[in-house]
Amino acid sequence: MAPSLFPDYPPKLTSEQEQYLLSNLKDWSIAHGLAVRPTASFVSQKQDPSGVLATTAPVTLFPSLFPRACFEEGLAIQQAFNELYSAISRDENWLRGIVEELVDIDDFVAKLWGIHVTVKKEGYVQDLSLGLFRSDYMVHIDPSVSGVSPALKQVEFNTIASSFGGLSSQVSVLHNYLSKINAYPHSVASIIKSNSLPQSKSASSLAAGLAAAHKAYGSPRTSYPTCILFVVQDPERNVFDQRHLEYSLLEVGVRSFRLPFHRTLSDTKLESDRTLVYIPPNSPSTPYEITTAYFRAGYSPDDYPNPEDWTARLQLERSRAIKCPSILTHLAGCKKVQQVLATPHSPHLKRFLPNDAAASRVLATFAPIYPLDKSDSGMEARKLATTPELAQRYVLKPQREGGGNNVYRKTIPEFLKTLPESHWPAHILMEMIEPPALKNAILRNGEVQKGGVIGELGVYGVCLWKNGSGLDNEGKVLENWEAGYLLRTKGDQSEEGGVAAGFGAVDSCCLVDV
């Protein structure tokens, strides 16, 4: 970790100040839906058998200081990233070359690709795709260069179930509220102020993306009313984050329903023309035609415990509904794609971003990433990953989303010993980003945890595109915009950062010039 840029922030609070801050933070959070379902370790099933209780989402007491130039750059280049991953999703031949390196060693990727192949043989009936993306970054200070300015480096790019768009829009408002009621000491009044606290528009912007797809679907094929379907996990601790998008949709007249993934086959059906119909269990006499299937589940092998779950994913992919994401867009989010784009001297980025200026700005955010295959780069990476002294600077990542999957630093060599060498190429090796040291306090499960923290900036993007034939890549981007931000903060002793996975907390940026 790099030295601290802000050693005196946040200030210490008296017990009275902390009590006032916490009281207002908790009340505001619950009143405005900045909440999650509690974990079993916090509230047992015996205490809450119906699963109705809620608690304040893990949240920081103070907004975290963040370099203004890095923040603004992250937002400015999101449209280029949207364009990049839309183009990758449309280039089936290129993506096939990536996937074919994984299908024999990664069963999950193989099954996803198998669904695409099956639907392609039958013929896709929907040529529109929607991406609600999130590009995650950390501030990096090169420890080998004295006096270097902080830079923004990408951690990963998420193409499915990009979470916390709902809660992130709330926490930035929360910190602004706490500032306005003087919950923070006067010593930081010149730092925490309205023009330093950018408000995230993520909930309304992501909902606008879903609404754009709903409209682009066109006239219904049935006589049924139309809706958007949220495909979700069950149980879902992060339900309130998703509800903010649902409520924003309803405000613009778009009805949506929540479908637990395992109920897909029982609560939906395909008409003869593959129109997807939802039958609400509470009102089976009033079916709905589904315009858009928005996946907040299906990104992890854990979501497919039974063969029927794969049948369900196939049914959704076969349908006329616009998918968010499609199988190809889901696969475009594989870490292997990130590695191929970011491997030093890789020629692939400009294939998808012909604008040299945009490509250069995107390239500047990449940390060095290597394969673990038997190419020259892969053999170099294998030496780095299996040598304990060298592995200290790296993180090993599988082709997974959702947090809790990575292997860090000194544990990498021992982990690789547990894997057959033939399975090593299912991972990528990424140079660790070195963020500046920060301090903050986190409220989690009713307890305040204070100390060193690390922040991770996520920038949301909306992209709606037409896929084209697949042979001549006639695809066209129809909508493309940056859609707000998320700041996740975790204790500096935790390598993982997922909030829902139990590692991080939602935060907001307090911009400073450094």
Side-chain angles (χ1 to χ4, degrees):
M1 185 178 296
S4 177
L5 296 174
F6 321 108
D8 299 323
Y9 181 92
K12 292 184 178 180
L13 301 175
T14 65
S15 59
E16 291 79 10
Q17 287 174 325
E18 183 170 305
Q19 183 178 2
Y20 179 70
L21 175 59
L22 283 172
S23 175
N24 281 282
L25 183 152
K26 293 175 182 177
D27 290 349
W28 193 100
S29 297
I30 296 299
H32 292 80
L34 183 52
V36 294
R37 298 288 189 209
T39 62
S41 60
F42 183 50
V43 176
S44 70
Q45 185 175 2
K46 182 178 180 181
Q47 293 171 298
D48 183 25
S50 300
V52 299
L53 294 182
T55 186
T56 302
V59 64
T60 60
L61 273 59
F62 292 83
S64 287
L65 302 187
F66 202 93
R68 185 183 301 273
C70 293
F71 177 85
E72 292 176 348
E73 180 66 3
L75 269 60
I77 61 175
Q78 184 59 38
Q79 285 183 282
F81 269 110
N82 294 345
E83 180 184 343
L84 170 62
Y85 276 85
S86 166
I88 291 172
S89 302
R90 300 197 306 269
D91 196 333
E92 180 199 3
N93 289 333
W94 185 87
L95 198 53
R96 180 189 294 112
I98 301 294
V99 171
E100 285 179 347
E101 295 184 35
L102 301 172
V103 291
D104 292 334
I105 53 178
D106 192 314
D107 185 58
F108 184 60
V109 170
K111 287 181 177 178
L112 290 173
W113 183 254
I115 288 178
H116 162 66
V117 171
T118 299
V119 179
K120 184 183 177 183
K121 287 179 180 177
E122 182 181 19
Y124 277 93
V125 293
Q126 179 55 260
D127 65 351
L128 296 176
S129 291
L130 177 66
L132 299 188
F133 298 139
R134 196 186 72 220
S135 186
D136 292 338
Y137 307 94
M138 293 174 70
V139 174
H140 174 69
I141 298 180
D142 189 338
S144 65
V145 181
S146 177
V148 67
S149 298
L152 201 64
K153 294 296 180 181
Q154 188 181 64
V155 177
E156 63 182 359
F157 192 90
N158 303 275
T159 63
I160 183 169
S162 301
S163 62
F164 289 102
L167 297 192
S168 63
S169 62
Q170 296 299 104
V171 73
S172 58
V173 180
L174 165 66
H175 287 150
N176 208 337
Y177 162 76
L178 293 173
S179 174
K180 289 179 177 177
I181 65 166
N182 300 319
Y184 298 128
H186 293 297
S187 60
V188 292
S190 62
I191 300 173
I192 305 176
K193 49 189 178 181
S194 294
N195 62 1
S196 299
L197 299 174
Q199 301 303 292
S200 179
K201 57 185 179 181
S202 49
S204 59
S205 292
L206 294 172
L210 290 166
H214 180 77
K215 181 178 179 181
Y217 178 86
S219 302
R221 270 71 174 177
T222 67
S223 60
Y224 306 142
T226 56
C227 75
I228 291 174
L229 198 65
F230 285 47
V231 183
V232 301
Q233 295 176 329
D234 186 26
E236 175 60 81
R237 289 188 59 233
N238 199 23
V239 59
F240 303 107
D241 174 55
Q242 300 161 14
R243 289 287 191 184
H244 284 293
L245 274 64
E246 175 189 336
Y247 302 152
S248 292
L249 282 169
L250 201 57
E251 288 182 4
V252 295
V254 178
R255 185 69 190 274
S256 63
F257 291 92
R258 296 175 58 80
L259 173 72
F261 186 37
H262 72 272
R263 291 192 57 89
T264 298
L265 297 180
S266 59
D267 293 351
T268 69
K269 65 176 182 177
L270 284 181
E271 302 286 1
S272 59
D273 65 351
R274 287 194 270 167
T275 298
L276 187 61
V277 174
Y278 173 65
I279 302 98
N282 65 306
S283 182
S285 61
T286 312
Y288 283 77
E289 180 173 340
I290 300 164
T291 67
T292 307
Y294 173 41
F295 287 92
R296 293 298 294 259
Y299 55 83
S300 166
D302 295 341
D303 290 332
Y304 302 83
N306 304 303
E308 293 79 10
D309 300 310
W310 286 106
T311 304
R313 185 69 186 267
L314 174 61
Q315 174 164 301
L316 294 171
E317 192 70 13
R318 290 181 64 226
S319 77
R320 190 176 297 277
I322 298 170
K323 269 68 70 178
C324 179
S326 68
I327 288 285
L328 289 181
T329 309
H330 183 170
L331 288 167
C334 284
K335 301 299 186 293
K336 182 67 178 178
V337 171
Q338 184 187 9
Q339 173 256 301
V340 168
L341 296 174
T343 295
H345 314 299
S346 168
H348 296 282
L349 183 60
K350 289 191 177 181
R351 175 188 180 99
F352 303 110
L353 280 181
N355 182 295
D356 288 343
S360 295
R361 291 177 77 176
V362 166
L363 183 62
T365 69
F366 291 161
I369 304 177
Y370 303 90
L372 281 178
D373 54 23
K374 293 188 177 180
S375 65
D376 289 345
S377 294
M379 295 307 291
E380 179 184 352
R382 288 180 177 217
K383 180 179 179 181
L384 295 172
T386 55
T387 306
E389 296 79 11
L390 300 177
Q392 288 280 7
R393 296 177 53 221
Y394 293 90
V395 53
L396 190 69
K397 295 185 175 185
Q399 315 297 319
R400 295 289 180 269
E401 302 294 339
N405 299 301
N406 299 335
V407 183
Y408 292 86
R409 302 186 189 268
K410 63 183 180 182
T411 60
I412 295 174
E414 290 301 315
F415 173 80
L416 288 175
K417 288 179 182 178
T418 69
L419 286 183
E421 200 168 318
S422 61
H423 284 58
W424 288 12
H427 296 74
I428 64 167
L429 190 71
M430 179 176 176
E431 189 171 300
M432 290 290 292
I433 300 169
E434 301 293 344
L438 295 170
K439 294 179 182 178
N440 210 327
I442 295 172
L443 175 67
R444 177 189 297 281
N445 291 340
E447 296 182 354
V448 176
Q449 303 163 355
K450 301 176 182 179
V453 297
I454 298 172
E456 186 171 310
L457 177 72
V459 181
Y460 296 100
V462 167
C463 195
L464 177 68
W465 65 89
K466 183 177 181 181
N467 289 299
S469 67
L471 297 176
D472 49 19
N473 198 26
E474 292 175 339
K476 179 182 179 182
V477 173
L478 305 176
E479 303 283 356
N480 181 3
W481 66 78
E482 168 263 309
Y485 82 93
L486 158 73
L487 187 65
R488 285 175 298 173
T489 293
K490 62 185 179 182
D492 59 11
Q493 300 304 307
S494 170
E495 302 283 14
E496 296 288 353
V499 178
F503 303 106
V506 282
D507 195 352
S508 73
C509 293
C510 182
L511 302 184
V512 290
D513 295 307
V514 294

